[in-house]
Amino acid sequence: MADVAREAGVSHQTVSRVLNDHPNVRPDTRARVEEAITRLGYRRNLAARALVTKRSRMLGVVSFDTTLYGPASTIYGIEQAARTAGYFVSIVSLKTLDVDSVRDAIDYLSEQGVDGVVVVAPRRSAGPALESLPSGTPAVAVEGTLRGDVSVVCIDQAEGARLATRHLLELGHRTVHHVTGPPDWLETEGRLEGWRAALEEAGRPVPEPLPGDWSPHAGYAAGRSLAAMDGVTAVFAANDQMALGVLRALSEEGVKVPDQISVVGFDDIPESAFFSPPLTTVRQDFDQVGRHCIEVLLRQLDAGAGTCERLVVPPGFVVRSSTAAAARVP
Amino acid sequence: MADVAREAGVSHQTVSRVLNDHPNVRPDTRARVEEAITRLGYRRNLAARALVTKRSRMLGVVSFDTTLYGPASTIYGIEQAARTAGYFVSIVSLKTLDVDSVRDAIDYLSEQGVDGVVVVAPRRSAGPALESLPSGTPAVAVEGTLRGDVSVVCIDQAEGARLATRHLLELGHRTVHHVTGPPDWLETEGRLEGWRAALEEAGRPVPEPLPGDWSPHAGYAAGRSLAAMDGVTAVFAANDQMALGVLRALSEEGVKVPDQISVVGFDDIPESAFFSPPLTTVRQDFDQVGRHCIEVLLRQLDAGAGTCERLVVPPGFVVRSSTAAAARVP
DNA sequence: CTGTTAGCGCATTCAT
DNA sequence: ATGAATGCGCTAACAG
C-alpha cells in the first residue's frame, strides 16, 4: 500500500480511503490513486484489515457429507448469497456427525475468526457442539437443533411428508409404507412424523416403518422386503435415492410401478425425472434455504447476536409417473 | 494472548512458543501455559499470525457448479486432505465458466491471501484466467489447461473412454455411438478422443456423436434419436446422468437394454448401480484427485512455485447389467 | 530455556 | 481534503 501511495504521490491513508469508498477524497486524487492501484496490480491484505477491524468478512460452514445432493445444493446457495454480500465462505465437511467432530470443526473455524457460522448438521446430537462458539458469534443451523438460542432455517419436513402421504391416500391407497432415513437425523424424524400424522388424520393403519440410511442400497433392501409383504400398494421413501433403490428392487421382483405399487420420494434430485418410472417426489428449495441462512446471519451481525429467528421454507410437490390410483383389490 | 501469559506467569512469547510447538520450552512451563489456555478458552487469532508469517494457511478453490457429483466429490477430497494438512479451504462456486468469472474468483481469493489455489474449471476457456494470480502463488488445475506452466491433476479421460468403447467392441458390437458432454469442456474432448481412438484402432466406423450437456435431459433427447436410428446396438454416454436419460428414452420406446442396445456411462455416481438396468460405467476416483491436488500444492509451497507437475489418475471400469453381447444381426 | 524489541499492513483517531 | 501517529495480535530475531 505504501508503494501505491508513493506512486500516486499521496499518503497511504488516502489510499486506504479510496479503497474503502470514503467520501472525503477529491475526485482527481481518487482517480490518481486508482490508476496507481491498477498499474501496480496492488491487492489489499485482508488479514491486516481483519486484524484492525475485528471483522474477517469470512463465514464458516460446517456440513456433513457435501457429496450428497441436499448439503451440496444448500452450500451452493450459501456461497452464492455470501459472495454477493461480500463474504468469503470457509467450508469444513465432516465424515461423521458426532458432537466432537462438530465441536472441533467449530473450534477450527473460530480460530480463523469467522464472523458467523452456518451448521448444516441436521442431527440432534450435533446441537450441543454449538456451545463452543465464542459467545457473540452469530450462528444459524439448517434443519437445526431445537435449542431456543440459535437461529434455524429449515424446510418443513413434516409438511412434505404429509403432502406425499396424502397424495397417495387420495389416490385410493388404504395405507402407505415408509422407508426412513437414518436414526437421529432431524429430517428422518420430521418425515416420519408427517407421514404418521397424515395416516392417523385419515384414520388409517400405521405400518411399521422400514429403516434406511439415505443410500440407494438401503432402499433396495427395503424394496425387497416390501415386495415380499402382502397388501403393499404405496411406499413413501424418505429420499429419492432410496426411492431409486425401491424402484430397482421392485422391478427385479417383477412388481410393476405404479400399477401394483406406487412410490414417492423426497428431494427432487435432478435424476428423479428420469427414473423408471419418473419419480413423484417432494421438492426442496435448497437454494432458498442457503440464501435465507446468509440473510439471517447478516441480520444478526448487524443487530448484535441477540436476535434469534426461525425461518421455515415450504416444500413443493412434483407429481410424475411413479404414482397411480390403487389397484382394485379383488 | 497477553491474558494467557499473565495467567501462566510467563511472557506472551512463551505462549507463542507453546502454541507453535517450539522445542525450547520446559515441559512444566508448557503444561502451565496449556492449562491457562484451556482455562481461559483462549483461541489464537490467525489473521494476526498470517499478517506476520505471510502465510494464511488458507487454500482457495474455484469450481464450477459444486452441485454436480464430480466437482462435489473432488472438493470433498480436497477439503479432507487440506484440513489434515492444517489448511483451511475457501470456496468459490461459479455459475458460468467464462474467463472473466474465473479471473474475478481468483482475484477475490488472492485478496484474501490464499497460499494456493485449486481450479476445478475444466474448460479450455478458463485457462488464461490463472494469469491473474499473484506470481508465485502455487496453483493446480483439475483436468486442467494444457498450458505448460501450471500443475495439473487429472483422470485419464481418454483412457476411460477407450475402456468403455473397447468393452463394447469386445462384446461383439460393430460400432459404438457416443453422447458427448458440452463443448469446450476438457472432459468432453478427452472422452470424445478416447472413444474415437478405440473405434479407429479397431478399424470400425465412427458415427456422428450426439451432442449433450451432462444433464439427464440431454441424454433423454439423445436416447430418442438413437431409438429412431437403424443399427444402433451400443451407446457410450459421456456421463452417468446422460446415460440415465438414454436408458429412460430407450425404455419409453420399448427398446430393451441390454438385449437390443448396450449402454455405458462415465463417473460411477452412487445411483448408477440402481438404474434400470444397473449401469456399466467408468469409475473416477475423485477422492484421490482431491488428495493429489493438495499434495501437489503443498509440494509447490515448500519448493517455491517453480515446479510444475502433471499427475494422471487412471480410471476404473465397472461392469454391471446395462451391457451385453451384441444381438445377432439376422 | 525465557523475556525484550520490533514490525507485518491496515483502519482509526486526531491534526492540519 | 489530506497527512501523521497509534495499535490490532502475533511471530521472528536477538538478548540474557
Side-chain angles (χ1 to χ4, degrees):
Chain A
M1 183 147 131
D3 301 338
V4 177
R6 203 174 312 115
E7 179 84 9
V10 296
S11 75
H12 65 122
Q13 22 287 29
T14 302
V15 177
S16 173
R17 286 194 184 97
V18 170
L19 252 24
N20 297 322
D21 283 323
H22 225 76
N24 289 357
V25 180
R26 232 189 311 157
D28 61 320
T29 312
R30 177 182 300 276
R32 233 177 37 252
V33 171
E34 279 168 348
E35 207 251 348
I37 286 177
T38 56
R39 187 143 27 116
L40 267 49
Y42 165 80
R43 282 199 242 303
R44 83 176 113 190
N45 181 330
L46 292 188
R49 180 218 269 253
L51 187 58
V52 52
T53 58
K54 283 139 173 12
R55 288 292 195 97
S56 61
R57 298 200 74 82
M58 168 82 95
L59 265 20
V61 175
V62 179
S63 171
F64 174 73
D65 195 349
T66 48
T67 274
L68 297 173
Y69 180 73
S73 305
T74 306
I75 291 176
Y76 186 76
I78 290 174
E79 199 277 334
Q80 298 291 321
R83 190 144 45 90
T84 303
Y87 281 79
F88 288 91
V89 171
S90 180
I91 293 184
V92 177
S93 327
L94 267 20
K95 282 185 149 76
T96 59
L97 221 42
D98 52 297
V99 201
D100 286 343
S101 303
V102 178
R103 194 192 307 279
D104 284 353
I106 288 181
D107 274 357
Y108 190 67
L109 287 171
S110 57
E111 273 209 331
Q112 204 198 13
V114 291
D115 292 339
V117 171
V118 182
V119 181
V120 189
R123 292 187 56 174
R124 194 170 291 292
S125 60
L130 280 176
E131 283 160 10
S132 74
L133 265 179
S135 63
T137 306
V140 45
V142 174
E143 304 300 340
T145 67
L146 304 178
R147 293 174 45 211
D149 55 345
V150 52
S151 292
V152 169
V153 176
C154 64
I155 288 172
D156 192 336
Q157 306 290 337
E159 177 59 18
R162 210 177 253 119
L163 252 29
T165 310
R166 278 208 206 110
H167 167 74
L168 257 7
L169 257 24
E170 281 162 11
L171 248 21
H173 297 275
R174 186 171 144 274
T175 187
V176 176
H177 289 258
H178 180 45
V179 185
T180 75
D184 193 46
W185 281 63
L186 294 164
E187 280 98 334
T188 300
E189 295 177 10
R191 293 170 197 179
L192 196 61
E193 179 195 314
W195 161 74
R196 195 189 307 271
L199 249 28
E200 285 171 353
E201 281 160 17
R204 302 307 172 82
V206 180
E208 186 66 20
L210 289 88
D213 63 4
W214 302 141
S215 78
H217 196 270
Y220 180 80
R224 307 281 305 205
S225 311
L226 256 7
M229 291 163 55
D230 274 340
V232 176
T233 69
V235 180
F236 164 45
N239 77 345
D240 285 358
Q241 333 246 337
M242 293 198 298
L244 175 62
V246 170
L247 253 26
R248 179 70 209 139
L250 259 25
S251 144
E252 280 185 11
E253 297 293 327
V255 178
K256 300 276 180 232
V257 176
D259 306 345
Q260 297 171 263
I261 297 188
S262 287
V263 177
V264 177
F266 206 115
D267 275 359
D268 196 27
I269 62 177
E271 290 86 357
S272 301
F274 297 89
F275 286 176
S276 299
L279 190 69
T280 295
T281 189
V282 179
R283 158 170 281 155
Q284 307 200 68
D285 190 343
F286 294 109
D287 229 64
Q288 200 184 359
V289 171
R291 281 199 307 277
H292 280 327
C293 285
I294 298 304
E295 286 165 14
V296 170
L297 224 44
L298 296 185
R299 225 172 285 145
Q300 281 187 48
L301 271 169
D302 290 342
T307 52
C308 167
E309 315 180 43
R310 186 175 185 87
L311 256 169
V312 180
V313 177
F317 195 67
V318 187
V319 178
R320 290 200 271 251
S321 321
S322 65
T323 50
R328 205 79 68 76
V329 180
Chain B
M1 183 149 131
D3 302 338
V4 176
R6 204 175 312 114
E7 179 84 10
V10 296
S11 76
H12 67 123
Q13 195 49 252
T14 304
V15 178
S16 171
R17 286 195 183 96
V18 170
L19 253 24
N20 296 322
D21 283 324
H22 227 75
N24 289 355
V25 180
R26 231 190 310 157
D28 61 320
T29 310
R30 176 181 300 274
R32 233 175 38 250
V33 171
E34 279 168 347
E35 207 251 350
I37 287 177
T38 55
R39 186 140 29 110
L40 267 49
Y42 166 80
R43 282 199 242 302
R44 83 176 114 188
N45 181 330
L46 294 187
R49 180 220 269 255
L51 187 58
V52 51
T53 58
K54 283 142 174 6
R55 288 292 194 94
S56 61
R57 298 201 73 82
M58 170 83 98
L59 266 19
V61 175
V62 179
S63 171
F64 175 73
D65 195 349
T66 47
T67 273
L68 297 174
Y69 181 73
S73 305
T74 306
I75 290 177
Y76 186 77
I78 289 174
E79 199 277 332
Q80 297 292 322
R83 192 143 45 89
T84 303
Y87 280 79
F88 288 90
V89 170
S90 180
I91 293 183
V92 178
S93 327
L94 267 20
K95 282 185 149 73
T96 58
L97 222 40
D98 52 298
V99 201
D100 285 343
S101 303
V102 179
R103 195 191 308 278
D104 283 353
I106 288 181
D107 274 356
Y108 191 67
L109 287 172
S110 57
E111 271 210 334
Q112 204 198 14
V114 292
D115 292 339
V117 172
V118 182
V119 181
V120 188
R123 293 187 55 174
R124 193 170 291 292
S125 59
L130 280 176
E131 283 160 11
S132 75
L133 264 180
S135 62
T137 306
V140 46
V142 174
E143 304 301 339
T145 67
L146 303 177
R147 294 173 45 210
D149 55 346
V150 51
S151 292
V152 169
V153 175
C154 63
I155 287 172
D156 192 335
Q157 305 290 337
E159 176 59 17
R162 212 178 252 120
L163 250 29
T165 310
R166 277 207 206 112
H167 166 75
L168 258 8
L169 257 25
E170 281 163 12
L171 248 21
H173 296 276
R174 189 172 142 273
T175 187
V176 176
H177 289 257
H178 180 45
V179 185
T180 75
D184 192 45
W185 282 63
L186 295 165
E187 280 97 334
T188 299
E189 295 177 11
R191 293 170 198 181
L192 196 62
E193 180 195 312
W195 161 75
R196 195 189 307 272
L199 249 28
E200 286 172 351
E201 281 161 18
R204 302 306 171 81
V206 180
E208 186 67 20
L210 289 88
D213 63 5
W214 301 141
S215 78
H217 197 270
Y220 179 80
R224 308 280 306 203
S225 312
L226 255 8
M229 291 165 55
D230 274 339
V232 176
T233 70
V235 179
F236 164 46
N239 76 347
D240 284 358
Q241 332 247 337
M242 294 199 298
L244 175 62
V246 170
L247 253 25
R248 178 74 210 139
L250 260 24
S251 146
E252 279 184 13
E253 298 292 329
V255 179
K256 299 277 180 232
V257 176
D259 306 347
Q260 296 170 264
I261 298 189
S262 287
V263 177
V264 178
F266 205 115
D267 275 357
D268 195 28
I269 63 177
E271 289 86 357
S272 301
F274 297 89
F275 286 177
S276 298
L279 190 69
T280 294
T281 189
V282 179
R283 157 170 280 154
Q284 307 201 67
D285 190 343
F286 295 109
D287 229 66
Q288 199 183 1
V289 170
R291 281 199 307 278
H292 279 328
C293 286
I294 298 303
E295 286 164 15
V296 171
L297 224 43
L298 296 185
R299 223 173 286 145
Q300 280 188 49
L301 270 169
D302 290 343
T307 52
C308 167
E309 315 179 43
R310 187 175 185 88
L311 256 169
V312 180
V313 177
F317 196 66
V318 187
V319 178
R320 290 198 271 250
S321 321
S322 65
T323 49
R328 204 79 69 77
V329 182

